[in-house]
Amino acid sequence: QGHLVESGGGSVQPGGSLRLACVDTKNTHTYDDYYMAWFRQTPGNKREGVAAISPSGGLKWYGGSMKGRTTISRDNVKKTLILQIETLGPGDTAMYYCAQSQSADRLRAAGVIEERDFDFWGQGTQVTVSS
């Protein structure tokens, strides 16, 4: 098991909201040296970048079909990444992953949230939206 641990997933009705969390449990690096991001994935599909945040939290990027319904934030003291999701629909059913990168070159250069930028991944938390 890696050092990023997600929580907060579950079953929710359409129109509901969820707050996902990701805790960095590694004690041998400095959490606020790293860019953090949330991705999601459905079976048979690539991971889609949902949101990313700079090491200080001062810069945020949003992508994909969830743009406008998500808010990413981080608490560098608690080494925790948060994703608040509003107005969930059945199409949001997916496994949600947090990811970590020290350089995030493509993110910084082009503002795109891509899987290949990120080196460390959590095991994911499942979100299921149904009535």
Side-chain angles (χ1 to χ4, degrees):
Q1 183 170 342
H3 62 274
L4 299 174
V5 181
E6 300 98 335
S7 63
S11 294
V12 63
Q13 291 190 337
S17 61
L18 276 178
R19 183 176 182 267
L20 306 182
C22 170
V23 176
D24 183 340
T25 64
K26 192 171 184 178
N27 294 319
T28 55
H29 70 188
T30 304
Y31 179 69
D32 55 4
D33 280 347
Y34 291 86
Y35 291 79
M36 300 294 298
W38 287 99
F39 289 78
R40 68 178 186 176
Q41 186 175 29
T42 53
N45 293 309
K46 289 172 52 179
R47 285 176 179 166
E48 176 189 21
V50 174
I53 190 167
S54 64
S56 69
L59 294 174
K60 301 177 182 181
W61 298 264
Y62 296 94
S65 57
M66 300 190 82
K67 196 181 292 187
R69 298 188 289 119
T70 56
T71 303
I72 190 170
S73 61
R74 65 190 293 165
D75 182 333
N76 285 346
V77 174
K78 295 181 179 178
K79 299 168 63 176
T80 300
L81 179 71
I82 299 294
L83 184 71
Q84 179 71 33
I85 313 172
E86 307 293 341
T87 321
L88 283 153
D92 297 319
T93 295
M95 186 72 81
Y96 286 73
Y97 298 90
C98 73
Q100 188 175 67
S101 171
Q102 199 159 24
S103 60
D105 293 334
R106 285 278 294 163
L107 178 67
R108 291 188 294 117
V112 291
I113 309 169
E114 291 186 347
E115 187 175 354
R116 59 180 170 168
D117 249 355
F118 290 84
D119 308 303
F120 304 107
W121 294 82
Q123 290 195 317
T125 185
Q126 178 68 38
V127 172
T128 301
V129 185
S130 69
S131 53

